[in-house]
Amino acid sequence: MNHAVRADRLEFVLENMNFEWSIVQLRQVIDYWFEGKSIYDMSDLLKREIDELVILIVDMAKRRILLERPRGLRACGKIAITDKEMALKKSRVCHLFEESPVYIPFIESNLLWYERDLIQFRKLWSEGQSIVEIAEYFGRNIEEIMFPILDQCRKELIEPREGGLLGKEATADDLIRQSFPV
């Protein structure tokens, strides 16, 4: 007797993305960030996809290498920073290369998702659930929810929404402050 078992397929989100960054590129990102360049300008200058840059910027902000900017990922005025502070920020990225010649942001994050979970993710997204609620639902870090958002947008399985990452919880002020509509 043959018993077929249907296993839920595992998917690696953002499997075609280049996560590797050199020290030179990281230092350029720091310069461009504090010069006030938009994410689109940085993408052109670095010859990297915007999604790759978004992941790196979130990682560097989490590590407190990049500061919050008034216009987020959009172009803004130059951010005042002393030469000493800039040198310190650039030296901090050296520590990211102690074990490897390239840096991979969020290497410790779980990029594997079951197909059924991606289906549920799309449902929660379309219902307007916030990134915080989605993270709680799946028992994952908020940063890990960023990956299926980018992946599913790239595959055109979810649409950008008015409330962006905050979904239906976004206030009028949040909508004004949002810098990258997802």
Side-chain angles (χ1 to χ4, degrees):
M1 182 176 258
N2 185 6
H3 293 280
V5 176
R6 183 172 179 244
D8 194 16
R9 195 174 64 139
L10 265 177
E11 289 189 36
F12 182 73
V13 296
L14 300 175
E15 63 187 330
N16 297 322
M17 186 177 290
N18 179 6
F19 285 90
E20 295 181 353
W21 291 87
S22 71
I23 194 163
V24 172
Q25 291 172 317
L26 290 185
R27 288 179 173 165
Q28 287 174 319
V29 169
I30 293 169
D31 284 335
Y32 295 156
W33 184 261
F34 285 95
E35 288 170 8
K37 295 198 182 312
S38 75
I39 192 163
Y40 299 106
D41 291 339
M42 286 189 257
S43 173
D44 289 342
L45 290 164
L46 295 164
K47 296 178 179 30
R48 296 291 295 252
E49 290 187 38
I50 288 176
D51 294 346
E52 295 168 0
L53 201 49
V54 166
I55 289 170
L56 179 67
I57 288 170
V58 170
D59 182 69
M60 292 178 79
K62 183 179 175 182
R63 295 175 183 279
R64 302 195 189 286
I65 295 169
L66 299 180
L67 304 175
E68 183 178 346
R69 300 189 321 183
R71 294 179 48 88
L73 299 174
R74 294 178 289 184
C76 63
K78 189 174 180 172
I79 298 173
I81 184 169
T82 66
D83 291 341
K84 184 178 179 181
E85 289 173 314
M86 181 63 89
L88 179 63
K89 289 189 178 298
K90 287 184 178 181
S91 71
R92 285 181 56 201
V93 299
C94 291
H95 301 294
L96 303 175
F97 294 89
E98 290 175 350
E99 296 177 18
S100 174
V102 295
Y103 177 65
I104 300 173
F106 294 105
I107 195 165
E108 70 284 351
S109 296
N110 182 359
L111 301 180
L112 292 173
W113 285 74
Y114 285 105
E115 183 178 30
R116 70 174 178 268
D117 290 339
L118 287 173
I119 292 167
Q120 183 62 25
F121 164 81
R122 290 192 296 268
K123 180 178 181 282
L124 295 171
W125 180 264
S126 67
E127 290 173 354
Q129 299 299 311
S130 75
I131 190 170
V132 174
E133 292 168 324
I134 295 172
E136 288 173 359
Y137 179 87
F138 288 108
R140 291 184 179 236
N141 295 326
I142 291 173
E143 293 89 1
E144 286 184 354
I145 302 304
M146 171 179 61
F147 301 115
I149 291 171
L150 293 172
D151 178 72
Q152 300 293 286
C153 277
R154 287 173 138 218
K155 293 176 180 173
E156 298 181 353
L157 296 172
I158 62 172
E159 296 287 324
R161 57 188 191 179
E162 185 178 333
L165 297 174
L166 297 177
K168 63 185 177 191
E169 289 185 4
T171 65
D173 287 340
D174 291 331
L175 294 175
I176 291 168
R177 290 182 54 211
Q178 251 179 209
S179 59
F180 192 68
V182 177

